[in-house]
PDB file of all heavy atoms in Angstrom:
ATOM      1  N   PHE A 250     -26.478  -1.828  22.138  1.00 87.00           N
ATOM      2  CA  PHE A 250     -26.130  -3.241  22.255  1.00 87.00           C
ATOM      3  C   PHE A 250     -25.845  -3.876  20.901  1.00 87.00           C
ATOM      4  O   PHE A 250     -24.980  -4.755  20.793  1.00 87.00           O
ATOM      5  CB  PHE A 250     -27.227  -3.993  23.002  1.00 87.00           C
ATOM      6  CG  PHE A 250     -27.237  -3.741  24.478  1.00 87.00           C
ATOM      7  CD1 PHE A 250     -28.275  -3.051  25.080  1.00 87.00           C
ATOM      8  CD2 PHE A 250     -26.187  -4.165  25.270  1.00 87.00           C
ATOM      9  CE1 PHE A 250     -28.266  -2.801  26.438  1.00 87.00           C
ATOM     10  CE2 PHE A 250     -26.168  -3.923  26.636  1.00 87.00           C
ATOM     11  CZ  PHE A 250     -27.211  -3.236  27.228  1.00 87.00           C
ATOM     12  N   ALA A 251     -26.555  -3.445  19.868  1.00 89.00           N
ATOM     13  CA  ALA A 251     -26.255  -3.955  18.526  1.00 89.00           C
ATOM     14  C   ALA A 251     -24.847  -3.524  18.105  1.00 89.00           C
ATOM     15  O   ALA A 251     -24.105  -4.299  17.477  1.00 89.00           O
ATOM     16  CB  ALA A 251     -27.289  -3.452  17.527  1.00 89.00           C
ATOM     17  N   GLY A 252     -24.477  -2.301  18.459  1.00 84.00           N
ATOM     18  CA  GLY A 252     -23.129  -1.822  18.163  1.00 84.00           C
ATOM     19  C   GLY A 252     -22.071  -2.625  18.904  1.00 84.00           C
ATOM     20  O   GLY A 252     -21.036  -2.994  18.338  1.00 84.00           O
ATOM     21  N   LEU A 253     -22.330  -2.932  20.189  1.00 83.00           N
ATOM     22  CA  LEU A 253     -21.395  -3.756  20.951  1.00 83.00           C
ATOM     23  C   LEU A 253     -21.269  -5.149  20.348  1.00 83.00           C
ATOM     24  O   LEU A 253     -20.170  -5.718  20.281  1.00 83.00           O
ATOM     25  CB  LEU A 253     -21.858  -3.869  22.405  1.00 83.00           C
ATOM     26  CG  LEU A 253     -21.755  -2.628  23.282  1.00 83.00           C
ATOM     27  CD1 LEU A 253     -22.216  -2.961  24.697  1.00 83.00           C
ATOM     28  CD2 LEU A 253     -20.337  -2.082  23.320  1.00 83.00           C
ATOM     29  N   LEU A 254     -22.400  -5.711  19.903  1.00 88.00           N
ATOM     30  CA  LEU A 254     -22.381  -7.035  19.282  1.00 88.00           C
ATOM     31  C   LEU A 254     -21.529  -7.026  18.012  1.00 88.00           C
ATOM     32  O   LEU A 254     -20.711  -7.929  17.777  1.00 88.00           O
ATOM     33  CB  LEU A 254     -23.806  -7.477  18.957  1.00 88.00           C
ATOM     34  CG  LEU A 254     -23.966  -8.856  18.298  1.00 88.00           C
ATOM     35  CD1 LEU A 254     -23.424  -9.951  19.205  1.00 88.00           C
ATOM     36  CD2 LEU A 254     -25.432  -9.108  17.955  1.00 88.00           C
ATOM     37  N   ALA A 255     -21.719  -5.983  17.193  1.00 87.00           N
ATOM     38  CA  ALA A 255     -20.945  -5.875  15.955  1.00 87.00           C
ATOM     39  C   ALA A 255     -19.455  -5.692  16.248  1.00 87.00           C
ATOM     40  O   ALA A 255     -18.598  -6.317  15.608  1.00 87.00           O
ATOM     41  CB  ALA A 255     -21.471  -4.716  15.111  1.00 87.00           C
ATOM     42  N   LEU A 256     -19.136  -4.853  17.231  1.00 81.00           N
ATOM     43  CA  LEU A 256     -17.742  -4.611  17.583  1.00 81.00           C
ATOM     44  C   LEU A 256     -17.091  -5.887  18.121  1.00 81.00           C
ATOM     45  O   LEU A 256     -15.968  -6.231  17.758  1.00 81.00           O
ATOM     46  CB  LEU A 256     -17.640  -3.493  18.616  1.00 81.00           C
ATOM     47  CG  LEU A 256     -18.042  -2.095  18.152  1.00 81.00           C
ATOM     48  CD1 LEU A 256     -18.034  -1.137  19.332  1.00 81.00           C
ATOM     49  CD2 LEU A 256     -17.128  -1.601  17.053  1.00 81.00           C
ATOM     50  N   GLY A 257     -17.817  -6.586  18.999  1.00 84.00           N
ATOM     51  CA  GLY A 257     -17.281  -7.820  19.548  1.00 84.00           C
ATOM     52  C   GLY A 257     -17.088  -8.878  18.478  1.00 84.00           C
ATOM     53  O   GLY A 257     -16.059  -9.566  18.443  1.00 84.00           O
ATOM     54  N   GLY A 258     -18.077  -9.014  17.586  1.00 87.00           N
ATOM     55  CA  GLY A 258     -17.955  -9.974  16.494  1.00 87.00           C
ATOM     56  C   GLY A 258     -16.777  -9.658  15.595  1.00 87.00           C
ATOM     57  O   GLY A 258     -16.048 -10.559  15.156  1.00 87.00           O
ATOM     58  N   TYR A 259     -16.576  -8.370  15.341  1.00 83.00           N
ATOM     59  CA  TYR A 259     -15.442  -7.977  14.496  1.00 83.00           C
ATOM     60  C   TYR A 259     -14.113  -8.337  15.158  1.00 83.00           C
ATOM     61  O   TYR A 259     -13.193  -8.849  14.510  1.00 83.00           O
ATOM     62  CB  TYR A 259     -15.504  -6.486  14.203  1.00 83.00           C
ATOM     63  CG  TYR A 259     -14.325  -6.019  13.391  1.00 83.00           C
ATOM     64  CD1 TYR A 259     -14.290  -6.235  12.015  1.00 83.00           C
ATOM     65  CD2 TYR A 259     -13.222  -5.430  13.987  1.00 83.00           C
ATOM     66  CE1 TYR A 259     -13.191  -5.856  11.255  1.00 83.00           C
ATOM     67  CE2 TYR A 259     -12.123  -5.053  13.250  1.00 83.00           C
ATOM     68  CZ  TYR A 259     -12.109  -5.260  11.889  1.00 83.00           C
ATOM     69  OH  TYR A 259     -11.029  -4.893  11.150  1.00 83.00           O
TER      70      TYR A 259
END
Side-chain angles (χ1 to χ4, degrees):
F250 285 112
L253 290 182
L254 180 61
L256 293 174
Y259 177 79

